[in-house]
Amino acid sequence: METAEIRRRWLSFFESRGHTVVPSAPLVHDDPNLLFVNAGMVPFKPYFLGQETPPYARATSVQKCVRTLDIEEVGKTTRHGTFFQMNGNFSFGDYFKEGAVALAWELVTTPQSQGGYGFDEKDLYASVYHEDDEAIAIWKRVAGLPDDRIVRLGKKDNYWNMGVAGPGGPCSEILIDRGPEFGADRDWEAGDRYLEFWNLVFMQDDLSAVRAKDDFDIAGPLPKRNIDTGMGLERVAYLLQGVDNLYEIDEVFPVIAAAEELSGRRYGANLEDDVRFRVVADHVRSALMLIGDGVTPGNEGRGYVLRRLIRRAVRSMRLLGVDAPTLEHLLPVSKDQMRASYPELERGFGRISQVAYAEEDAFRRTLTAGTTILDVAVTKAKSSGSATLSGSEAFQLHDTYGFPIDLTLEMAAEQGLNVDEAGFRRLMAEQRDRAKADARSKKMAHGDVSVYRQVADSLGRDVEFTGYDEVVSDSRVRGLIRGGELVSTAHAGEEIEVVLDRTPLYAESGGQLADRGRIRLANGALIEVRDVQKPINGLIVHRATVLEGEAVTGDDAEAVVDVVRRRSVSRAHTATHMVHQALREELGETATQAGSENSPGRLRFDFKAQSPVPLEAMADIEAKVNSVLLDDLAVTADVMSLDEARRMGALALFGEKYGERVRVVSIGDWSIELCGGTHALRVGQLGVVKLLGEASIGSGVRRVEALVGSDAYTHLAREAAIVGQLTDQLKVRTEELPQRIASILSKLKEAEKEIAAVKQAQVLGAAPGLVATARDIAGVTFVSHDAGDGVTADDLRALVLEVRRRLGTDRPSLVSMAAVSNGRPIVIVATNDRAREAGLKAGLFVRTAAQVLGGGGGGKDDIAQGGGTDASMVSAALGAVEQQLHQRGA
């Protein structure tokens, strides 16, 4: 049974039994404690924590997940991968243990011909929490399992909690006996014989403290009991497909097959290569899914995880013997296997592949740079008589330059050196411990939203936002929060948070900054609003200061928006939509939004692109936007279902959480996007949009900034004044200014070339005299020279080559020169053909000199260059080259 079919049957089964099918949330989820969604229940966590009221009593999903704790262990075991899919069914105060067991047993054991998975009942076991006699009775009654096929396990295995105070409860797992070839009979913990593939969590306890997985305090029962189950899709796939592990299922193995073809090696031939093949298959698929959900490579957070996955895949292919680029062959294979379940991968593959291939190219350059750094470290170790590269050097290569430890081990061995791997692992462990400590501190930092939940519950409904239609609204104060606590009154000078039952003030979201304004109470109190936020879904909170009088909960109020600021922000937000559309028209559909900020009169728009936008293209984009302004298109907003919006072609953003009803903002029929922000009524109200330029803000992400309306006009007026000053000073008309400046720059460049030529001629003029100083050392004509301060590397190189030319080709010759340029020493060594025939390689001599200078170097056998940091050691460096030549002849 194909993996996509297992997925389809799951959703169909539970939908037919009253569950709402919830689409997978993006891997990047709005949870501050997680880099990625790492379990099927994560999108439902606010319901389990009581932070939000679930809109359904039963739900089911197949959730995309990524776990990153043990990336380096991927491939070494056959059950764990970075990306995986978790089938889940959930009950929020509806059915409980018996319902969950009955549903699970029915789906698992129903024959495949009747829509089930068709597992043989005689191979199935159940594990239960050892104190949960109720669950044991249910398994006997519902599934007919005898005592010898029900396993009692302790807290560590069969009690679930979130690692923090909150909901928890016993759980029960369905296991399958894979047969004696996978392990000993009744050995529940060792081996792969009794494989758990479905976990049913009976969430019934309120935990007051959690010290460890098996050490916690139970405060009492939860007000409502919930069900959270998870079935590993990949695990069930390899059980039903008759293969040994997740790497051999239909969605994964084709990548291994493609890697086999590229490398000429075979999966299953040896364990070392098998691990590499698995790493490639897992990481290519994981990278595909992460980029598909909007992640781009970077040096921290989610971007760093993606970068690491791509680099490990590329490195593994290199260790399989493939030096050429490989993702262009592997990524399309993975896409073809995953698109049945995730058709958006096909639509977005142009962008996905562009990001992935650019990262592979960057890493290949890193490998080249890392090789040079490694060469210096190896030479340093050898010169000191050591046979081992230190752990700190290996760690620096890994941590600073992204050079994988496996590659360091391999290349050091080629040079006859060991690596202090234990020291490297110790430094890695220290770094990992720091990361885990940071993660633990973040995990315990769940914001206390109980006070907001309390206010929301008292309201009994969402706060009504009226700001689309009005800027002044009558309302009532439904809550005052001061210092994190609910209060009934607040006095002049106090900082408070105000909850109204309805408000025209926009809460910051979707890149649009919050409104500012004032709230006037019926009793005369005046409150100044400086920020508006949504701490939990459905609740709008005004962060404010009491200016006059006493604010009182329950009092009638009038909320007023700062209209001038709102209009300025709305114009900027409208311009953002226009810039986005114009970018897509100019650069293609891969130029999708990656973030934005709309502030008064100014916008910042981030978009996906692998290379700079040409100036001509930027000019065309700006012209297009301002041309549409002249058309004065109407800006309209309509609320509809998500499916309707998609059929209209409305753009949705990666990582955004959309409900079933969405707001679609249209600019004529030119631009259609899902958006909850405020906008101008017509684009003509924007006046003018001026793009300030674009730049890179990270791998694969670029940023455009622009001014709108009066801010744009002021900027243009200032630029016009500058142009006027330049035309006065250069005595030309405005249209002649670019040509005149270009002429001045050209003359300046020519003058610089002439100066450089004169300086080089002066340097080369020393060549005849230097040839006259040549000495014979061990049968080699040798010239050494300190060119002093102020000589560039190019001039010194030219002098070295000129002296070598004048020495002729009749006998071996070696030229060694040094200089100081901009305070840093450089050294260049050159040899002729006869010298190289005698085994004299310029690179070996330049490394010797560069070490004395406190640096490194390298190059070809005929000419090599190095440098360092200690300019006072130039004479000593040249002396070291001469000494090395003497030793060779000894």
Side-chain angles (χ1 to χ4, degrees), residues 597-628:
E597 181 179 282
N598 304 297
S599 54
R602 191 181 187 98
L603 69 89
R604 187 187 74 206
F605 182 80
D606 302 338
F607 61 100
K608 309 292 179 60
Q610 295 301 314
S611 58
V613 181
L615 290 176
E616 297 83 358
M618 288 295 293
D620 290 344
I621 292 165
E622 183 177 271
K624 177 64 177 178
V625 170
N626 284 285
S627 172
V628 174

Side-chain angles (χ1 to χ4, degrees), residues 32 43 288 344 415-416 478 537 677 784 796 805 819:
L288 171 76
E344 65 270 17
Q415 300 273 0
R478 299 305 300 267
N537 190 40
S784 179
L796 186 65
R805 185 188 67 79

Side-chain angles (χ1 to χ4, degrees), residues 171-485:
C171 56
S172 187
E173 299 171 333
I174 302 177
L175 307 101
I176 186 168
D177 182 1
R178 304 176 74 194
E181 64 270 29
F182 289 95
D185 187 32
R186 301 287 162 170
D187 189 349
W188 305 110
E189 297 183 4
D192 289 338
R193 176 167 179 173
Y194 297 95
L195 185 66
E196 173 262 319
F197 64 90
W198 195 341
N199 186 23
L200 292 74
V201 177
F202 309 133
M203 211 176 292
Q204 63 187 41
D205 299 325
D206 182 13
L207 307 185
S208 59
V210 178
R211 292 170 291 276
K213 182 171 175 57
D214 54 356
D215 183 13
F216 48 82
D217 298 329
I218 298 176
L222 288 172
K224 289 185 177 180
R225 300 183 302 179
N226 304 312
I227 288 293
D228 161 25
T229 84
M231 185 190 83
L233 180 54
E234 284 79 5
R235 192 167 290 190
V236 171
Y238 72 73
L239 290 173
L240 291 180
Q241 292 174 18
V243 295
D244 285 342
N245 56 69
L246 69 89
Y247 299 99
E248 298 173 13
I249 66 173
D250 61 315
E251 286 189 346
V252 182
F253 188 77
V255 176
I256 292 179
E260 286 182 307
E261 185 174 345
L262 289 171
S263 66
R265 303 188 190 184
R266 288 292 165 260
Y267 181 69
N270 66 75
L271 180 58
E272 195 172 59
D273 279 355
D274 283 357
V275 171
R276 292 165 183 163
F277 278 121
R278 292 172 194 149
V279 167
V280 170
D282 173 86
H283 288 5
V284 166
R285 185 169 78 139
S286 300
L288 171 76
M289 302 306 295
L290 286 170
I291 300 172
D293 273 358
V295 182
T296 54
N299 290 325
E300 59 184 24
R302 300 179 178 106
Y304 179 71
V305 172
L306 174 59
R307 170 163 288 167
R308 191 175 174 202
L309 291 171
I310 293 175
R311 292 184 170 192
R312 278 175 56 82
V314 173
R315 178 251 299 180
S316 295
M317 287 303 295
R318 186 186 187 281
L319 294 176
L320 287 167
V322 184
D323 289 330
T326 57
L327 287 185
E328 62 189 47
H329 303 287
L330 302 175
L331 199 69
V333 175
S334 187
K335 177 262 295 181
D336 288 344
Q337 304 311 308
M338 299 301 296
R339 64 183 175 186
S341 295
Y342 305 100
E344 65 270 17
L345 294 173
E346 184 75 61
R347 297 191 296 270
F349 193 67
R351 177 189 61 84
I352 294 169
S353 59
Q354 188 180 43
V355 171
Y357 301 162
E359 180 61 22
E360 179 179 27
D361 289 342
F363 182 49
R364 285 170 58 78
R365 293 192 294 272
T366 294
L367 285 177
T368 301
T371 300
T372 302
I373 302 298
L374 180 61
D375 285 345
V376 173
V378 168
T379 302
K380 182 179 178 181
K382 285 184 174 180
S383 65
S384 65
S386 173
T388 303
L389 198 67
S390 72
S392 60
E393 288 173 312
F395 180 74
Q396 182 187 28
L397 278 164
H398 172 85
D399 195 50
T400 304
Y401 300 100
F403 211 62
I405 182 61
D406 290 351
L407 204 52
T408 300
L409 292 168
E410 175 190 347
M411 297 180 68
E414 291 172 357
Q415 300 273 0
L417 289 182
N418 297 316
V419 177
D420 178 12
E421 194 172 355
F424 170 83
R425 298 294 177 193
R426 184 183 68 255
L427 291 169
M428 284 294 293
E430 291 174 1
Q431 185 187 65
R432 192 176 298 113
D433 288 344
R434 289 193 296 271
K436 286 182 178 178
D438 182 56
R440 280 195 298 271
S441 68
K442 289 180 179 177
K443 187 175 185 180
M444 297 303 293
H446 282 282
D448 183 5
V449 297
S450 58
V451 67
Y452 300 121
R453 183 77 266 155
Q454 189 175 345
V455 176
D457 289 343
S458 70
L459 273 167
R461 60 174 178 82
D462 292 349
V463 174
E464 180 186 357
F465 174 64
T466 62
Y468 293 133
D469 303 313
E470 58 188 31
V471 292
V472 179
S473 295
D474 292 330
S475 60
R476 176 169 294 180
V477 179
R478 299 305 300 267
L480 296 174
I481 301 169
R482 184 182 61 216
E485 295 182 355

Side-chain angles (χ1 to χ4, degrees), residues 513-581:
L513 297 187
D515 278 337
R516 293 177 185 171
R518 293 194 169 192
I519 301 172
R520 174 71 73 174
L521 272 61
N523 67 6
L526 181 63
I527 302 171
E528 183 175 46
V529 178
R530 64 181 183 278
D531 190 19
V532 189
Q533 297 291 329
K534 290 182 178 179
I536 62 174
N537 190 40
L539 191 72
I540 298 174
V541 173
H542 307 78
R543 294 175 178 170
T545 303
V546 181
L547 296 182
E548 302 172 5
E550 181 183 49
V552 180
T553 300
D555 207 354
D556 290 335
E558 181 184 70
V560 181
V561 175
D562 179 340
V563 175
V564 173
R565 185 176 189 278
R566 157 74 79 82
R567 288 175 178 168
S568 185
V569 172
S570 297
R571 287 193 293 267
H573 199 155
T574 308
T576 296
H577 288 247
M578 300 179 72
V579 170
H580 189 188
Q581 181 62 30

Side-chain angles (χ1 to χ4, degrees), residues 6 102 158 222 293 301 370 437 461 465 475 492 524 602 629 669 678 681 752 789 825 834 836 869:
I6 299 171
N158 275 60
L222 288 172
D293 273 358
R461 60 174 178 82
F465 174 64
S475 60
R602 191 181 187 98
L629 294 185
D669 57 3
T678 63
L681 296 177
E752 289 173 344
D789 199 355
R834 294 290 299 277
R836 292 192 294 281
T869 57

